[in-house]
Amino acid sequence: MLRRVPADDMYVVQTVETGKDIRLPAEVPREYAALRSGDAQHAAQWIRVVSNDAHLHHLFLSRRPDISIGFKDFRKLVPGVSDPGNNLGVVVTHDPDLPPELVEAGAPEFAGWAVRRDGVEPLPIEIEPHVVGLAQLTGKWPIEQLAANSVMVVGCGSIGSAAAEALAGYGVGRVELVDPDRFLWHNMLRHALGPESVGRFKVAAMKDHLAQHWPQQTVVAHRRDVVTEAHYIRPIVDRVDLVLCAADGIAPRRVVSHLSRRARKAAILACVLDNGSIGEVIRLRPTPRFGCLLCLRQQLADQGAMDAEADQELDYGTGRVHQPMTAVPPDLRYVGTFAAKVAIATLLESLHGDHTQQVPGEHAIIGLRPAGDLAAPFDLSQAGDVRWSSIPRPRTSCPTCSPG
């Protein structure tokens, strides 16, 4: 028996008869809401075929639109099919003995048919696979390695929410979210969350959001300010493998740079600058070769570049007085996803020895809608450009890299 969903022109299996008077219900989990609706009690046939010919015909017809097979010929292929009269008959045939070469060619084990007296056409049919979700990528992506890793995301705004979603999509096993603010109406334009989350604390709403879409991931929510509650943040940095900071402003970014360096953990800092005309992603690695955020900013100041930290202190994103900026949602999601990619590449290269994940440098400037009127290295002139460079060695006077 099938349920029909007229709005989507879809039939869903409701009951399967596996033997005489033996009918088993097809339980549809609650999360598959679209598959649980429809008009009940549409009879269908479920026929096991003993020859491969029927499913070879299904493969052929599926690749040639607007071609059907005559009902009498179909009956020869599928003995036992009922005459539909003047109605539509739905038939599912099962051929469990298909040779591997036919399966590889695309012949299905289960095939759907729309049966009419004037012709029979193939119906697309989908069977729930044994494995769904990220596990489907096993063997093609380092699922097991990343499932053992953890990342702290500081700042769950537009960039941070996109980064957190991307980390989940890459398969990071545990994410610890840090943000003190609530999700409000003005956030909705650029955020992964929607109106259902207005009024909630961002970390709690993001935790629920990620759990709904990526149930294999563990998410821990910390409603904390990374600056005023650094004593609480420090042990989180100690227990994660990497920190990704998408917070606005000088203070939180400097705190993340300092704490991650002291904990000898890599950190990725992501933001947009100059009213969203360019993106910036910085990778900080605690080695003698690379300095911290302060070392990089001092080098840029010496070169006469824009004061990027001060640019971050603009009203946008403070959580108090909102001044709309011109950064559009996809650009912010692009920067967040880019930062997550750098984070994943860093984890895979440094912790798992995957040299296919090397990135070109430590400091990336991303063209979003650049005017080309900024000083180097922010002087991109084309959208989509990514300029990579290194960052300086630790300064001897740096309080983070060379504490006295």
Side-chain angles (χ1 to χ4, degrees):
M1 302 300 294
L2 305 176
R3 282 181 285 105
R4 181 164 189 265
V5 187
D8 293 305
D9 193 21
M10 175 174 62
Y11 293 88
V12 181
V13 175
Q14 181 178 26
T15 307
V16 178
E17 188 175 68
T18 59
K20 182 175 175 54
D21 298 327
I22 302 176
R23 295 186 176 185
L24 302 178
E27 299 289 346
V28 179
R30 185 170 296 279
E31 57 268 29
Y32 296 102
L35 303 181
R36 291 168 59 86
S37 60
D39 304 323
Q41 306 296 317
H42 287 266
Q45 281 189 282
W46 164 269
I47 301 173
R48 177 168 176 166
V49 292
V50 295
S51 165
N52 303 147
D53 292 345
H55 286 217
L56 277 176
H57 274 76
H58 190 278
L59 175 63
F60 174 76
L61 294 170
S62 297
R63 293 178 175 177
R64 301 289 297 273
D66 302 324
I67 295 181
S68 62
I69 182 174
F71 178 66
K72 290 183 179 179
D73 291 332
F74 183 69
R75 258 187 164 174
K76 294 177 183 176
L77 288 172
V78 185
V81 64
S82 300
D83 186 336
N86 295 322
N87 299 316
L88 168 67
V90 176
V91 173
V92 176
T93 56
H94 181 210
D95 185 350
D97 301 317
L98 281 172
E101 58 270 23
L102 295 186
V103 174
E104 187 174 352
E109 180 181 349
F110 297 90
W113 303 90
V115 181
R116 297 181 178 85
R117 276 185 171 176
D118 59 355
V120 179
E121 299 174 350
L123 275 179
I125 186 170
E126 290 292 332
I127 306 293
E128 183 182 9
H130 294 294
V131 177
V132 296
L134 276 177
Q136 292 177 294
L137 298 180
T138 300
K140 303 178 181 64
W141 178 250
I143 298 296
E144 292 185 359
Q145 291 92 327
L146 290 172
N149 291 146
S150 55
V151 175
M152 179 171 75
V153 176
V154 178
C156 294
S158 50
I159 295 176
S161 64
E165 280 191 328
L167 292 172
Y170 281 121
V172 171
R174 190 176 86 249
V175 170
E176 306 221 16
L177 305 174
V178 177
D179 195 299
D181 294 335
R182 292 182 185 273
F183 181 73
L184 301 176
W185 282 273
H186 70 260
N187 299 126
M188 205 158 30
L189 172 63
R190 301 178 177 89
H191 207 280
L193 298 173
E196 75 286 347
S197 299
V198 170
R200 299 188 65 192
F201 287 107
K202 290 177 180 176
V203 289
M206 276 301 297
K207 179 181 178 180
D208 292 345
H209 177 77
L210 293 173
Q212 181 180 3
H213 293 85
W214 307 99
Q216 83 288 345
Q217 186 184 55
T218 299
V219 181
V220 184
H222 303 276
R223 184 164 53 85
R224 302 286 182 177
D225 186 304
V226 73
V227 177
T228 61
E229 298 176 286
H231 61 289
Y232 182 88
I233 302 300
R234 188 174 291 108
I236 304 175
V237 178
D238 287 336
R239 67 175 177 252
V240 298
D241 297 308
L242 182 143
V243 180
L244 192 159
C245 178
D248 295 317
I250 293 175
R253 290 158 58 84
R254 288 185 175 179
V255 169
V256 167
S257 172
H258 184 79
L259 293 182
S260 59
R261 183 86 186 190
R262 292 298 179 85
R264 303 194 61 77
K265 301 293 175 64
I268 311 297
L269 312 184
C271 65
V272 292
L273 302 170
D274 195 37
N275 256 345
S277 67
I278 56 173
E280 181 187 52
V281 174
I282 304 169
R283 178 167 69 170
L284 302 173
R285 291 193 281 179
T287 74
R289 184 179 174 189
F290 303 112
C292 67
L293 178 64
L294 294 177
C295 297
L296 172 63
R297 292 308 186 213
Q298 185 60 54
Q299 181 195 55
L300 294 175
D302 294 343
Q303 296 172 351
M306 173 179 61
D307 186 347
E309 298 304 301
D311 191 87
Q312 282 282 291
E313 287 286 82
L314 297 177
D315 291 333
Y316 170 77
T318 61
R320 297 181 177 85
V321 179
H322 175 66
Q323 298 292 330
M325 62 184 295
T326 54
V328 292
D331 281 353
L332 294 166
R333 294 190 66 82
Y334 176 39
V335 173
T337 304
F338 190 99
K341 178 60 186 177
V342 176
I344 293 300
T346 302
L347 289 174
L348 289 176
E349 183 192 4
S350 62
L351 300 183
H352 303 293
D354 187 346
H355 297 300
T356 68
Q357 295 295 307
Q358 292 180 341
V359 297
E362 312 301 314
H363 186 201
I365 305 300
I366 306 164
L368 302 176
R369 50 178 187 79
D373 57 349
L374 301 174
F378 304 106
D379 55 339
L380 295 182
S381 58
Q382 293 182 305
D385 270 0
V386 179
R387 175 181 294 163
W388 285 94
S389 58
S390 187
I391 59 178
R393 292 180 179 276
R395 296 170 300 152
T396 55
S397 60
C398 177
T400 292
C401 300
S402 307

